[in-house]
Amino acid sequence: MMEKEVVTTRPVEANSHPHHYGGTKSSYDDDDDEYNEEIVVGEKPSRLEVWGWYVYELCSYMVQSLVIPVVFPLIISQLQQLSTDDETLRHQWINNHHGMPCPQKQILLYSKLTKRTINITGSHLSSLEWTSIAWGGGLLLAAPILGFISFHLDANQFYAIITAAATGVGVFFCLPAGFFKTTKIFIPYIAGIALAATVASTAHTHYLALMLRPYGKPTPALRRRTRFFPRLSISSWFSLYATAFGSLGAAIVSSLTYHMLREPSDRNLLSLWVVSIFSGLIWLAGVVHVVLISPNRSTTTCSVSPLSSRLYHSLSLFKYPHAIGGLVGVFLSSFATMSIFTGGVLFVVGQLCMRPLHLLYLWLVYFLFPLVSLPLLQIMQHFMRVNSVKMQILGFLLSMFSSGSGFYFWESRWRWSHLLLFGAVQGTATGLLHAFGRVLVLNCAPCGKEGAFSAWYGWVKSVGLCVGFTVGSVAAGRIRASLGAAFCSGIAGIVVLLFGNVSDVGGAVAAGHVAEDNSGDISERPSRSHVGASSGLDSKESVSV
């Protein structure tokens, strides 16, 4: 059985709203106060529930980080025919790459990815650019759908159906990827997967908010021991470990992708189709969490906007400046990490002509190193009492180190050991930015509006990934362009977080998650005594962290 706390419901009277401090009305209060109620939430997540949530991230994280930006451009490239023969292609390569030798198969693969061989009404596009167009189309379709489902998520309706349906749609488009051998069919394929991944990510993020609700309102005993509450520590813990598991899933798919690329050229299309099918089946396996575990969580505890405000429910985020700043950081971090990833892979294959095995090592280090680095950084965060904003800044600094070094030394002769170093650094940066961007937005979400905040988070993150991929694709062969854009994004992200009045503590205050002490002050430091196993997760059936 899950550990329960007392659940009470009472109308909010004047000066007693959770957002009120010191008897004055907060500027972040809703306009519909008469519909709101003060709720004390009750069920803490069990081990099974949290591990199930980790499993879904393990099965879905690779969709936007690897399947769309890597697998599908490779599949499309196998349908392209180059107009030059092999000898002419090799001669052009030597002239454009300073005489650097490269295997013929690698030259052919890079040329099919980057050369603009797709002719649409007089416009010529590459396989990478075709993928970015389809990805953007899926995000345009996702925007109104997210606005619609955000209300139903917050009204505690159809959570399991929304998540399972979105996953099912994505899996459906993964399965027939190599059946129709025409380029145009990949527009609906990739758009459908991008749409499904964004909606599923929104529901997945929203469920994290539901698991965090019991840690939001301190009990009187907890208020006497500390002026803060364990929510920030628990949210960081959950998000970091989920990101590590997601990276493991991406590493598995990247290994399969490399293995299938080793097949003979005439079988590459079929081999990559197998990767797409395998990725879809892994994604489908994550529905176990939705079907078996998620419906057990009691979510009927927070009020939402009245029926007349359904159309404006998703816009409620704009009343919370900290959340807006957090979303800006999410966009910039997603853009920077994907721009570095796309530009870096093309640089390794096309300009450095590294052996394919070294590319596999780079992928494995990029995705597997966070399994070690993120838990270690979580321990550091615990002992140094660092909040999520500072952890995001650390992620931006690591990303700037990677992009800045690549920008400065792009003409140097890189060894594969150098690539492994930067893969480890950038993989850690990507994990930090993903995990703590999600934490910051959710800690700014008041009870009953987590669905709206999750929808904005899922869409903005996907848009950042798509734009970063587009920049890396258009700048193929010009590594300084994509790395320079990523470096500038890192600087902008740090400026926004430092000088944009962004704070997880301030966001939690505005959302009504933080209690004052007797002096009316708010502490900005999480208490060590409430992190980990003592953070309200002390029952035998509660999570062991």
Side-chain angles (χ1 to χ4, degrees), residues 468-498:
F469 176 78
T470 302
V471 170
S473 302
V474 173
R478 302 187 301 275
I479 184 64
R480 299 187 74 187
S482 58
L483 294 185
F487 187 85
C488 293
S489 296
I491 295 176
I494 293 175
V495 170
V496 168
L497 294 176
L498 285 180

PDB file of all heavy atoms in Angstrom, residues 468-498:
ATOM      1  N   GLY A 468      17.408  23.341 -33.738  1.00  0.00           N
ATOM      2  CA  GLY A 468      18.824  22.982 -33.658  1.00  0.00           C
ATOM      3  C   GLY A 468      19.219  21.987 -34.729  1.00  0.00           C
ATOM      4  O   GLY A 468      20.301  22.090 -35.325  1.00  0.00           O
ATOM      5  N   PHE A 469      18.356  21.010 -34.990  1.00  0.00           N
ATOM      6  CA  PHE A 469      18.625  20.046 -36.052  1.00  0.00           C
ATOM      7  C   PHE A 469      18.657  20.729 -37.417  1.00  0.00           C
ATOM      8  O   PHE A 469      19.496  20.412 -38.269  1.00  0.00           O
ATOM      9  CB  PHE A 469      17.560  18.956 -36.035  1.00  0.00           C
ATOM     10  CG  PHE A 469      17.673  17.963 -37.147  1.00  0.00           C
ATOM     11  CD1 PHE A 469      18.609  16.946 -37.096  1.00  0.00           C
ATOM     12  CD2 PHE A 469      16.848  18.044 -38.258  1.00  0.00           C
ATOM     13  CE1 PHE A 469      18.728  16.023 -38.138  1.00  0.00           C
ATOM     14  CE2 PHE A 469      16.944  17.132 -39.299  1.00  0.00           C
ATOM     15  CZ  PHE A 469      17.892  16.113 -39.231  1.00  0.00           C
ATOM     16  N   THR A 470      17.752  21.688 -37.633  1.00  0.00           N
ATOM     17  CA  THR A 470      17.710  22.403 -38.907  1.00  0.00           C
ATOM     18  C   THR A 470      18.992  23.194 -39.135  1.00  0.00           C
ATOM     19  O   THR A 470      19.558  23.179 -40.234  1.00  0.00           O
ATOM     20  CB  THR A 470      16.494  23.342 -38.948  1.00  0.00           C
ATOM     21  OG1 THR A 470      15.302  22.576 -38.752  1.00  0.00           O
ATOM     22  CG2 THR A 470      16.413  24.067 -40.279  1.00  0.00           C
ATOM     23  N   VAL A 471      19.467  23.882 -38.096  1.00  0.00           N
ATOM     24  CA  VAL A 471      20.706  24.650 -38.232  1.00  0.00           C
ATOM     25  C   VAL A 471      21.875  23.717 -38.539  1.00  0.00           C
ATOM     26  O   VAL A 471      22.698  23.987 -39.422  1.00  0.00           O
ATOM     27  CB  VAL A 471      20.973  25.464 -36.948  1.00  0.00           C
ATOM     28  CG1 VAL A 471      22.372  26.075 -36.979  1.00  0.00           C
ATOM     29  CG2 VAL A 471      19.929  26.553 -36.789  1.00  0.00           C
ATOM     30  N   GLY A 472      21.958  22.595 -37.829  1.00  0.00           N
ATOM     31  CA  GLY A 472      23.025  21.645 -38.098  1.00  0.00           C
ATOM     32  C   GLY A 472      22.941  21.041 -39.482  1.00  0.00           C
ATOM     33  O   GLY A 472      23.971  20.756 -40.109  1.00  0.00           O
ATOM     34  N   SER A 473      21.726  20.857 -39.993  1.00  0.00           N
ATOM     35  CA  SER A 473      21.541  20.272 -41.323  1.00  0.00           C
ATOM     36  C   SER A 473      21.907  21.252 -42.423  1.00  0.00           C
ATOM     37  O   SER A 473      22.588  20.906 -43.391  1.00  0.00           O
ATOM     38  CB  SER A 473      20.084  19.817 -41.491  1.00  0.00           C
ATOM     39  OG  SER A 473      19.720  18.891 -40.500  1.00  0.00           O
ATOM     40  N   VAL A 474      21.437  22.475 -42.287  1.00  0.00           N
ATOM     41  CA  VAL A 474      21.719  23.487 -43.311  1.00  0.00           C
ATOM     42  C   VAL A 474      23.202  23.818 -43.350  1.00  0.00           C
ATOM     43  O   VAL A 474      23.768  24.098 -44.419  1.00  0.00           O
ATOM     44  CB  VAL A 474      20.878  24.756 -43.040  1.00  0.00           C
ATOM     45  CG1 VAL A 474      21.271  25.874 -43.991  1.00  0.00           C
ATOM     46  CG2 VAL A 474      19.394  24.438 -43.180  1.00  0.00           C
ATOM     47  N   ALA A 475      23.854  23.744 -42.190  1.00  0.00           N
ATOM     48  CA  ALA A 475      25.276  24.083 -42.104  1.00  0.00           C
ATOM     49  C   ALA A 475      26.174  22.858 -42.243  1.00  0.00           C
ATOM     50  O   ALA A 475      27.308  22.870 -41.769  1.00  0.00           O
ATOM     51  CB  ALA A 475      25.561  24.778 -40.782  1.00  0.00           C
ATOM     52  N   ALA A 476      25.673  21.792 -42.870  1.00  0.00           N
ATOM     53  CA  ALA A 476      26.487  20.590 -43.056  1.00  0.00           C
ATOM     54  C   ALA A 476      27.755  20.937 -43.838  1.00  0.00           C
ATOM     55  O   ALA A 476      27.697  21.554 -44.906  1.00  0.00           O
ATOM     56  CB  ALA A 476      25.682  19.529 -43.811  1.00  0.00           C
ATOM     57  N   GLY A 477      28.889  20.555 -43.290  1.00  0.00           N
ATOM     58  CA  GLY A 477      30.166  20.901 -43.900  1.00  0.00           C
ATOM     59  C   GLY A 477      30.732  22.208 -43.392  1.00  0.00           C
ATOM     60  O   GLY A 477      31.877  22.539 -43.700  1.00  0.00           O
ATOM     61  N   ARG A 478      29.939  22.954 -42.625  1.00  0.00           N
ATOM     62  CA  ARG A 478      30.400  24.224 -42.040  1.00  0.00           C
ATOM     63  C   ARG A 478      30.186  24.128 -40.528  1.00  0.00           C
ATOM     64  O   ARG A 478      29.266  24.720 -39.969  1.00  0.00           O
ATOM     65  CB  ARG A 478      29.635  25.405 -42.635  1.00  0.00           C
ATOM     66  CG  ARG A 478      29.761  25.516 -44.150  1.00  0.00           C
ATOM     67  CD  ARG A 478      29.142  26.795 -44.690  1.00  0.00           C
ATOM     68  NE  ARG A 478      27.734  26.913 -44.362  1.00  0.00           N
ATOM     69  CZ  ARG A 478      26.743  26.376 -45.067  1.00  0.00           C
ATOM     70  NH1 ARG A 478      27.019  25.657 -46.150  1.00  0.00           N
ATOM     71  NH2 ARG A 478      25.483  26.517 -44.692  1.00  0.00           N
ATOM     72  N   ILE A 479      31.047  23.395 -39.885  1.00  0.00           N
ATOM     73  CA  ILE A 479      30.884  23.086 -38.472  1.00  0.00           C
ATOM     74  C   ILE A 479      30.896  24.336 -37.603  1.00  0.00           C
ATOM     75  O   ILE A 479      30.227  24.402 -36.565  1.00  0.00           O
ATOM     76  CB  ILE A 479      32.001  22.110 -38.025  1.00  0.00           C
ATOM     77  CG1 ILE A 479      31.803  21.678 -36.571  1.00  0.00           C
ATOM     78  CG2 ILE A 479      33.372  22.734 -38.202  1.00  0.00           C
ATOM     79  CD1 ILE A 479      30.554  20.892 -36.331  1.00  0.00           C
ATOM     80  N   ARG A 480      31.610  25.364 -38.040  1.00  0.00           N
ATOM     81  CA  ARG A 480      31.699  26.576 -37.220  1.00  0.00           C
ATOM     82  C   ARG A 480      30.345  27.274 -37.110  1.00  0.00           C
ATOM     83  O   ARG A 480      30.069  27.944 -36.106  1.00  0.00           O
ATOM     84  CB  ARG A 480      32.734  27.531 -37.809  1.00  0.00           C
ATOM     85  CG  ARG A 480      34.141  26.960 -37.865  1.00  0.00           C
ATOM     86  CD  ARG A 480      35.148  28.015 -38.295  1.00  0.00           C
ATOM     87  NE  ARG A 480      35.415  28.958 -37.222  1.00  0.00           N
ATOM     88  CZ  ARG A 480      36.151  30.059 -37.379  1.00  0.00           C
ATOM     89  NH1 ARG A 480      36.670  30.345 -38.578  1.00  0.00           N
ATOM     90  NH2 ARG A 480      36.383  30.860 -36.372  1.00  0.00           N
ATOM     91  N   ALA A 481      29.487  27.115 -38.109  1.00  0.00           N
ATOM     92  CA  ALA A 481      28.177  27.767 -38.057  1.00  0.00           C
ATOM     93  C   ALA A 481      27.302  27.151 -36.972  1.00  0.00           C
ATOM     94  O   ALA A 481      26.725  27.867 -36.130  1.00  0.00           O
ATOM     95  CB  ALA A 481      27.491  27.662 -39.414  1.00  0.00           C
ATOM     96  N   SER A 482      27.195  25.827 -36.964  1.00  0.00           N
ATOM     97  CA  SER A 482      26.343  25.180 -35.969  1.00  0.00           C
ATOM     98  C   SER A 482      26.928  25.300 -34.563  1.00  0.00           C
ATOM     99  O   SER A 482      26.200  25.553 -33.600  1.00  0.00           O
ATOM    100  CB  SER A 482      26.133  23.709 -36.335  1.00  0.00           C
ATOM    101  OG  SER A 482      27.363  23.031 -36.434  1.00  0.00           O
ATOM    102  N   LEU A 483      28.240  25.148 -34.428  1.00  0.00           N
ATOM    103  CA  LEU A 483      28.849  25.269 -33.103  1.00  0.00           C
ATOM    104  C   LEU A 483      28.813  26.713 -32.602  1.00  0.00           C
ATOM    105  O   LEU A 483      28.627  26.961 -31.408  1.00  0.00           O
ATOM    106  CB  LEU A 483      30.287  24.758 -33.137  1.00  0.00           C
ATOM    107  CG  LEU A 483      30.475  23.262 -33.394  1.00  0.00           C
ATOM    108  CD1 LEU A 483      31.947  22.891 -33.287  1.00  0.00           C
ATOM    109  CD2 LEU A 483      29.651  22.430 -32.426  1.00  0.00           C
ATOM    110  N   GLY A 484      29.003  27.667 -33.498  1.00  0.00           N
ATOM    111  CA  GLY A 484      28.916  29.071 -33.099  1.00  0.00           C
ATOM    112  C   GLY A 484      27.521  29.439 -32.630  1.00  0.00           C
ATOM    113  O   GLY A 484      27.351  30.153 -31.629  1.00  0.00           O
ATOM    114  N   ALA A 485      26.493  28.938 -33.338  1.00  0.00           N
ATOM    115  CA  ALA A 485      25.114  29.201 -32.915  1.00  0.00           C
ATOM    116  C   ALA A 485      24.842  28.576 -31.551  1.00  0.00           C
ATOM    117  O   ALA A 485      24.177  29.181 -30.696  1.00  0.00           O
ATOM    118  CB  ALA A 485      24.145  28.652 -33.956  1.00  0.00           C
ATOM    119  N   ALA A 486      25.361  27.360 -31.328  1.00  0.00           N
ATOM    120  CA  ALA A 486      25.170  26.707 -30.031  1.00  0.00           C
ATOM    121  C   ALA A 486      25.874  27.470 -28.919  1.00  0.00           C
ATOM    122  O   ALA A 486      25.346  27.607 -27.808  1.00  0.00           O
ATOM    123  CB  ALA A 486      25.685  25.271 -30.104  1.00  0.00           C
ATOM    124  N   PHE A 487      27.077  27.974 -29.198  1.00  0.00           N
ATOM    125  CA  PHE A 487      27.817  28.737 -28.191  1.00  0.00           C
ATOM    126  C   PHE A 487      27.053  30.004 -27.812  1.00  0.00           C
ATOM    127  O   PHE A 487      26.934  30.335 -26.628  1.00  0.00           O
ATOM    128  CB  PHE A 487      29.202  29.097 -28.737  1.00  0.00           C
ATOM    129  CG  PHE A 487      30.110  29.748 -27.735  1.00  0.00           C
ATOM    130  CD1 PHE A 487      30.864  28.982 -26.864  1.00  0.00           C
ATOM    131  CD2 PHE A 487      30.212  31.129 -27.656  1.00  0.00           C
ATOM    132  CE1 PHE A 487      31.712  29.574 -25.929  1.00  0.00           C
ATOM    133  CE2 PHE A 487      31.034  31.739 -26.735  1.00  0.00           C
ATOM    134  CZ  PHE A 487      31.790  30.964 -25.868  1.00  0.00           C
ATOM    135  N   CYS A 488      26.530  30.710 -28.790  1.00  0.00           N
ATOM    136  CA  CYS A 488      25.744  31.922 -28.507  1.00  0.00           C
ATOM    137  C   CYS A 488      24.478  31.588 -27.735  1.00  0.00           C
ATOM    138  O   CYS A 488      24.054  32.352 -26.856  1.00  0.00           O
ATOM    139  CB  CYS A 488      25.403  32.633 -29.811  1.00  0.00           C
ATOM    140  SG  CYS A 488      26.833  33.319 -30.681  1.00  0.00           S
ATOM    141  N   SER A 489      23.861  30.441 -28.042  1.00  0.00           N
ATOM    142  CA  SER A 489      22.673  30.029 -27.299  1.00  0.00           C
ATOM    143  C   SER A 489      23.007  29.753 -25.844  1.00  0.00           C
ATOM    144  O   SER A 489      22.215  30.057 -24.941  1.00  0.00           O
ATOM    145  CB  SER A 489      22.067  28.777 -27.936  1.00  0.00           C
ATOM    146  OG  SER A 489      21.619  29.041 -29.243  1.00  0.00           O
ATOM    147  N   GLY A 490      24.184  29.169 -25.592  1.00  0.00           N
ATOM    148  CA  GLY A 490      24.603  28.935 -24.217  1.00  0.00           C
ATOM    149  C   GLY A 490      24.769  30.231 -23.442  1.00  0.00           C
ATOM    150  O   GLY A 490      24.345  30.340 -22.282  1.00  0.00           O
ATOM    151  N   ILE A 491      25.383  31.219 -24.088  1.00  0.00           N
ATOM    152  CA  ILE A 491      25.536  32.524 -23.433  1.00  0.00           C
ATOM    153  C   ILE A 491      24.167  33.137 -23.139  1.00  0.00           C
ATOM    154  O   ILE A 491      23.913  33.645 -22.037  1.00  0.00           O
ATOM    155  CB  ILE A 491      26.372  33.475 -24.315  1.00  0.00           C
ATOM    156  CG1 ILE A 491      27.803  32.948 -24.446  1.00  0.00           C
ATOM    157  CG2 ILE A 491      26.363  34.880 -23.735  1.00  0.00           C
ATOM    158  CD1 ILE A 491      28.667  33.774 -25.367  1.00  0.00           C
ATOM    159  N   ALA A 492      23.273  33.087 -24.134  1.00  0.00           N
ATOM    160  CA  ALA A 492      21.934  33.650 -23.949  1.00  0.00           C
ATOM    161  C   ALA A 492      21.189  32.932 -22.825  1.00  0.00           C
ATOM    162  O   ALA A 492      20.478  33.559 -22.027  1.00  0.00           O
ATOM    163  CB  ALA A 492      21.147  33.557 -25.253  1.00  0.00           C
ATOM    164  N   GLY A 493      21.337  31.594 -22.749  1.00  0.00           N
ATOM    165  CA  GLY A 493      20.665  30.849 -21.694  1.00  0.00           C
ATOM    166  C   GLY A 493      21.152  31.250 -20.310  1.00  0.00           C
ATOM    167  O   GLY A 493      20.354  31.400 -19.372  1.00  0.00           O
ATOM    168  N   ILE A 494      22.447  31.435 -20.161  1.00  0.00           N
ATOM    169  CA  ILE A 494      22.990  31.854 -18.865  1.00  0.00           C
ATOM    170  C   ILE A 494      22.505  33.252 -18.501  1.00  0.00           C
ATOM    171  O   ILE A 494      22.146  33.531 -17.350  1.00  0.00           O
ATOM    172  CB  ILE A 494      24.529  31.790 -18.895  1.00  0.00           C
ATOM    173  CG1 ILE A 494      24.994  30.340 -19.014  1.00  0.00           C
ATOM    174  CG2 ILE A 494      25.126  32.432 -17.646  1.00  0.00           C
ATOM    175  CD1 ILE A 494      26.488  30.181 -19.166  1.00  0.00           C
ATOM    176  N   VAL A 495      22.472  34.145 -19.478  1.00  0.00           N
ATOM    177  CA  VAL A 495      21.996  35.512 -19.223  1.00  0.00           C
ATOM    178  C   VAL A 495      20.540  35.495 -18.770  1.00  0.00           C
ATOM    179  O   VAL A 495      20.151  36.198 -17.816  1.00  0.00           O
ATOM    180  CB  VAL A 495      22.166  36.375 -20.489  1.00  0.00           C
ATOM    181  CG1 VAL A 495      21.452  37.709 -20.330  1.00  0.00           C
ATOM    182  CG2 VAL A 495      23.647  36.606 -20.779  1.00  0.00           C
ATOM    183  N   VAL A 496      19.717  34.681 -19.442  1.00  0.00           N
ATOM    184  CA  VAL A 496      18.297  34.607 -19.075  1.00  0.00           C
ATOM    185  C   VAL A 496      18.140  34.082 -17.653  1.00  0.00           C
ATOM    186  O   VAL A 496      17.363  34.624 -16.853  1.00  0.00           O
ATOM    187  CB  VAL A 496      17.532  33.715 -20.079  1.00  0.00           C
ATOM    188  CG1 VAL A 496      16.133  33.397 -19.556  1.00  0.00           C
ATOM    189  CG2 VAL A 496      17.434  34.399 -21.432  1.00  0.00           C
ATOM    190  N   LEU A 497      18.876  33.031 -17.311  1.00  0.00           N
ATOM    191  CA  LEU A 497      18.723  32.441 -15.984  1.00  0.00           C
ATOM    192  C   LEU A 497      19.266  33.342 -14.874  1.00  0.00           C
ATOM    193  O   LEU A 497      18.705  33.383 -13.775  1.00  0.00           O
ATOM    194  CB  LEU A 497      19.429  31.079 -15.941  1.00  0.00           C
ATOM    195  CG  LEU A 497      18.825  29.989 -16.835  1.00  0.00           C
ATOM    196  CD1 LEU A 497      19.662  28.726 -16.774  1.00  0.00           C
ATOM    197  CD2 LEU A 497      17.388  29.682 -16.431  1.00  0.00           C
ATOM    198  N   LEU A 498      20.347  34.064 -15.163  1.00  0.00           N
ATOM    199  CA  LEU A 498      20.954  34.906 -14.135  1.00  0.00           C
ATOM    200  C   LEU A 498      20.248  36.244 -13.984  1.00  0.00           C
ATOM    201  O   LEU A 498      20.030  36.722 -12.869  1.00  0.00           O
ATOM    202  CB  LEU A 498      22.434  35.135 -14.457  1.00  0.00           C
ATOM    203  CG  LEU A 498      23.389  33.967 -14.211  1.00  0.00           C
ATOM    204  CD1 LEU A 498      24.809  34.368 -14.593  1.00  0.00           C
ATOM    205  CD2 LEU A 498      23.345  33.531 -12.748  1.00  0.00           C
TER     206      LEU A 498
END
